Amino acid sequence: MSGEAAIVVDVLYPDLLNLYGDRGNARALVRRCEARGIDAAVRRVDIGDEWDDAGCDIVLVGGGQDREQRRVEADLLRRGGQLRDWRDSGGVALAVCGGYQLFGRSYRGIDGEIMEGVGVFDMVTVHPGPSVSRCVGNVAALWEGETLVGFENHGGRSYLNAGQAALAEVVAGFGNNGGDGSEGARVGNCFGTYLHGAVLPNNPRLADRLISLALERRGGDGALAPLDDEAESRAHAEALHTALHRSEQGRLRSALQALRG
Ligand code: GLN
């Protein structure tokens, strides 16, 4: 990196909320910036730190088990106003799984206790308890005419309130709740998703969207030079194949069970 950082990525609680390599999202953003000659830096925001939102371009928060979510809950809540202002002023954010749940209004965890969220997204999440299967597996979802792929593993089911837009439409997998076909949420330039993978290395177009929105917010035109995404495209295609194949197998299994009566 040379000169002053042009894109600053702030990762909230990188040690506590980092399931399935969610920290790779920051690396993907930096790599895609630097490959285009755009300087980029990653900063961490831990419990007790002040968040310098004025110096930030993209906020990332990853997934975590209920225990870790509980550990960050109070600290995240005190940032609620700052994060909602961030959303309302066009700030760019990507929240994944456990972080996504806490960016909603509330999460009733596996133990039945409610965790209050920051309300960036107008949704509530409910864990049906330890006796109900988790939403686990490969996901494919439609996003703006393209596919998003990733891996999900969550017990909580998220329900978007009326007026809250989903990020994508589930093609294979569970997404928000395994029932209404929605995956993730979007308000302004804030994106929420259940997809791990990490999601950005496998979905370079989503990564570029975040970068481009951040550059626009800085007054640029957001135009990005294309990159050689051969490896990323291959990873995306493989994840898509796995997700579709698994869901087809599931459908066949259910059809056979139904036939056997
Ligand atoms: N603890 C949450 C759940 O089980 C989130 C899990 C995750 O981030 N993968 O729903």
Side-chain angles (χ1 to χ4, degrees):
M1 197 173 68
S2 61
E4 205 184 318
I7 288 290
V8 174
V9 179
D10 282 347
V11 184
L12 306 186
Y13 319 114
D15 297 329
L16 291 168
L17 298 183
N18 173 40
L19 273 186
Y20 309 111
D22 285 338
R23 248 180 304 182
N25 289 329
R27 293 185 63 182
L29 291 173
V30 169
R31 202 197 70 76
R32 298 187 74 78
C33 282
E34 291 183 348
R36 295 169 165 121
I38 304 166
D39 287 344
V42 179
R43 307 185 302 190
R44 48 189 299 148
V45 182
D46 292 297
I47 290 177
D49 291 349
E50 283 320 304
W51 174 41
D52 163 33
D53 56 2
C56 172
D57 294 289
I58 302 176
V59 175
L60 295 180
V61 58
Q65 308 291 356
D66 282 32
R67 197 182 43 235
E68 277 75 40
Q69 289 173 285
R70 181 74 70 195
R71 280 180 67 187
V72 306
E73 179 192 6
D75 191 78
L76 186 64
L77 264 188
R78 78 181 173 89
R79 307 180 194 281
Q82 204 180 4
L83 285 164
R84 289 188 298 276
D85 287 349
W86 178 255
R87 170 199 64 193
D88 295 341
S89 63
V92 181
L94 175 71
V96 176
C97 201
Y100 167 48
Q101 294 172 339
L102 292 180
F103 266 43
R105 291 191 179 278
S106 63
Y107 171 41
R108 197 187 76 198
I110 190 167
D111 57 4
E113 299 282 324
I114 305 262
M115 295 181 219
E116 207 180 317
V118 290
V120 166
F121 302 116
D122 190 8
M123 71 171 195
V124 294
T125 302
V126 176
H127 194 305
S131 58
V132 179
S133 320
R134 297 175 66 80
C135 302
V136 185
N138 293 78
V139 187
L142 276 181
W143 171 63
E144 299 183 351
E146 298 170 5
T147 46
L148 290 179
V149 293
F151 175 76
E152 65 183 329
N153 182 356
H154 51 106
R157 272 71 166 168
S158 294
Y159 300 94
L160 307 176
N161 287 329
Q164 169 62 68
L167 173 64
E169 198 185 311
V170 173
V171 177
F174 296 89
N176 282 336
N177 52 57
D180 65 16
S182 68
E183 155 47 34
R186 180 171 178 185
V187 180
N189 295 334
C190 294
F191 298 71
T193 180
Y194 269 111
L195 302 184
H196 299 281
V199 65
L200 295 184
N202 289 325
N203 297 279
R205 266 183 286 269
L206 181 59
D208 281 355
R209 176 63 61 84
L210 301 181
I211 296 169
S212 154
L213 288 169
L215 291 171
E216 277 173 19
R217 189 160 181 262
R218 286 210 168 200
D221 64 6
L224 293 176
L227 298 180
D228 172 10
D229 278 332
E230 214 235 301
E232 287 81 354
S233 304
R234 221 167 339 113
H236 185 100
E238 271 174 35
L240 183 60
H241 177 80
T242 310
L244 296 178
H245 188 65
R246 291 239 169 100
S247 101
E248 199 46 44
Q249 279 179 328
R251 260 196 286 275
L252 279 173
R253 247 194 319 272
S254 315
L256 276 174
Q257 262 157 15
L259 273 176
R260 288 180 188 134

